[in-house]
Amino acid sequence: MGEGETKTIRPSEIDVVYTWVDDMFPGYAETLEQFATTRHDTNPNRTRDNLEMLRYSLRSLERHVPFVRRVHLLTCRPQVPEWLNTDHPDITVMHHDEIMAPEILPTFNSFAIISHLAKLPCVSEHFLYCEDDMLFLSKAHLSDFVQDDGRLRVFAKNRDAPVHAKTRPGDSPWNLSLANANAALDRAFGPRRRKFLAHGPRLIERRSFEEMCNRFGHEIAATRASRFRGGDNVPPEYLYPHYLLETEEAVLASDAETRRVAGYASIDNFLPWTWLQLARLDRLRPVTATLNDNFNDRPNPRVVAHVRNRLNRWFPEPSRFERLDRPPT
């Protein structure tokens, strides 16, 4: 935006986009094993659906986000949640092959998938991107995500994100990708320290998102070509907010605003720890909360049951997106 220029974002024109996958869907595990080469490739924390988090996220969306126009669900073919009411006019299911090039499919790389979000047909110019483990615990307002002048709010942590000088070849693909993103931003805008971003929904503008993908075309192309997260990738969910900060199309939220909007809990196998985190979310009720799967290979049944009970207590009523003949398992 130019100096003094503002943009109007109408609440009635905001869609929500979810990405989702279920690794228990018939054939998925076999396809994954066919292409996987490292332990990172088969990490179940990113693909497990044992809590049916998408179902509860949609319930929370219906209760707490009144400004949503439509919902778009992006997943791999032929997956569709069995409980989802796909006939409802307010939801559209899209598969990767409808917006992604055939030569890069199948993909198991969330970075590659997210880089295509602005290519969804019929999605609103501004849309809220949610991973399926993100909930809305309190009433959300568009002003939680965007200022009156149209600049988006960026919610960051009080920790610097990795840079190449402090990474090692054996680091996780996530940390290496953050370092790659920071290197790309340094080349474009000059070196500076940048913060980790808080987990939570991202408000995205299609125009500026595609502008970012073109500006960092080499990095985005390498990311899209990777079936799994790789050492030469960049995470668009990190690169985009920092790109907006650099181009002055976004502002950094205060620590107090971040605490109010972006809650987080790590769902671990140690029940007292998970109980404590969920109880804290229950008490604070931030606008959003991410329940990050950290079960690894063997989820603790007692923890799974506890989280399920909490989700049902928070959101007992089915949303309009559910088939009534498919109650939670």
Side-chain angles (χ1 to χ4, degrees):
M1 292 186 299
E3 185 177 353
E5 182 182 350
T6 63
K7 64 177 77 172
T8 301
I9 303 176
R10 295 181 176 87
S12 60
E13 299 176 354
I14 301 293
D15 289 353
V16 175
V17 176
Y18 283 94
T19 51
W20 171 86
V21 71
D22 179 5
D23 60 14
M24 296 302 293
F25 199 90
Y28 183 88
E30 291 78 7
T31 305
L32 178 67
E33 289 292 339
Q34 178 183 347
F35 292 98
T37 59
T38 73
R39 63 180 180 85
H40 292 292
D41 296 345
T42 57
N43 183 353
N45 292 351
R46 295 196 301 272
T47 58
R48 186 168 25 229
D49 191 42
N50 64 328
L51 294 172
E52 291 187 313
M53 283 293 301
L54 177 63
R55 183 197 291 265
Y56 293 100
S57 184
L58 286 169
R59 290 183 181 187
S60 75
L61 185 78
E62 183 156 281
R63 178 185 292 185
H64 290 308
V65 192
F67 55 81
V68 171
R69 187 183 70 162
R70 289 181 53 80
V71 172
H72 305 259
L73 176 63
L74 180 60
T75 184
C76 61
R77 189 175 296 278
Q79 293 199 20
V80 179
E82 65 173 5
W83 50 264
L84 190 69
N85 179 11
T86 56
D87 293 328
H88 198 284
D90 291 344
I91 192 162
T92 301
V93 177
M94 298 291 294
H95 291 106
H96 297 163
D97 57 11
E98 296 180 78
I99 60 170
M100 301 175 71
E103 60 269 21
I104 64 174
L105 296 175
T107 187
F108 311 92
N109 183 357
S110 64
F111 300 156
I113 296 165
I114 293 169
S115 76
H116 287 82
L117 293 183
K119 299 185 181 299
L120 284 166
C122 302
V123 73
S124 55
E125 177 62 19
H126 289 86
F127 61 90
L128 204 59
Y129 167 57
C130 295
E131 297 178 26
D132 63 341
D133 60 357
M134 295 173 181
L135 305 168
F136 295 88
L137 294 187
S138 295
K139 187 69 71 177
H141 304 276
L142 188 56
S143 58
D144 294 324
F145 303 98
V146 61
Q147 293 197 142
D148 291 341
D149 62 3
R151 290 188 294 172
L152 306 190
R153 298 186 191 275
V154 174
F155 302 99
K157 300 179 182 180
N158 284 319
R159 290 190 294 128
D160 290 341
V163 294
H164 279 150
K166 295 184 179 180
T167 59
R168 296 170 296 178
D171 283 353
S172 70
W174 171 247
N175 281 341
L176 292 175
S177 71
L178 290 175
N180 292 336
N182 282 323
L185 290 163
D186 285 350
R187 288 192 294 271
F189 302 107
R192 73 182 78 250
R193 296 163 63 181
R194 299 180 180 89
K195 302 292 186 183
F196 277 103
L197 299 181
H199 293 269
R202 302 272 193 266
L203 186 62
I204 292 175
E205 180 191 38
R206 295 178 71 175
R207 175 198 61 79
S208 57
F209 192 87
E210 288 288 76
E211 182 183 90
M212 174 206 71
C213 289
N214 293 330
R215 179 77 176 261
F216 302 102
H218 175 76
E219 291 83 2
I220 294 295
T223 300
R224 290 174 173 174
S226 298
R227 295 196 193 277
F228 298 91
R229 292 179 178 182
D232 61 349
N233 288 191
V234 292
E237 62 268 44
Y238 174 88
L239 182 62
Y240 177 65
H242 279 290
Y243 172 72
L244 294 184
L245 289 172
E246 295 288 357
T247 57
E248 299 184 347
E249 294 196 48
V251 294
L252 198 61
S254 68
D255 291 344
E257 289 173 326
T258 298
R259 288 191 297 270
R260 183 182 65 82
V261 173
Y264 176 84
S266 177
I267 306 304
D268 293 5
N269 281 317
F270 185 49
L271 181 56
W273 174 241
T274 298
W275 179 92
L276 183 65
Q277 292 184 91
L278 294 183
R280 184 173 184 271
L281 289 176
D282 219 351
R283 176 173 56 86
L284 296 176
R285 290 292 174 136
V287 175
T288 73
T290 300
L291 306 192
N292 189 53
D293 182 328
N294 201 30
F295 286 128
N296 296 318
D297 293 330
R298 295 185 179 181
N300 180 341
R302 294 179 63 205
V303 176
V304 172
H306 174 72
V307 177
R308 279 280 195 164
N309 288 336
R310 181 80 63 164
L311 290 168
N312 278 309
R313 192 165 80 242
W314 282 343
F315 308 109
E317 297 299 325
S319 73
R320 67 188 186 276
F321 305 111
E322 294 181 47
R323 293 174 52 182
L324 297 182
D325 61 338
R326 293 288 190 274
T329 56

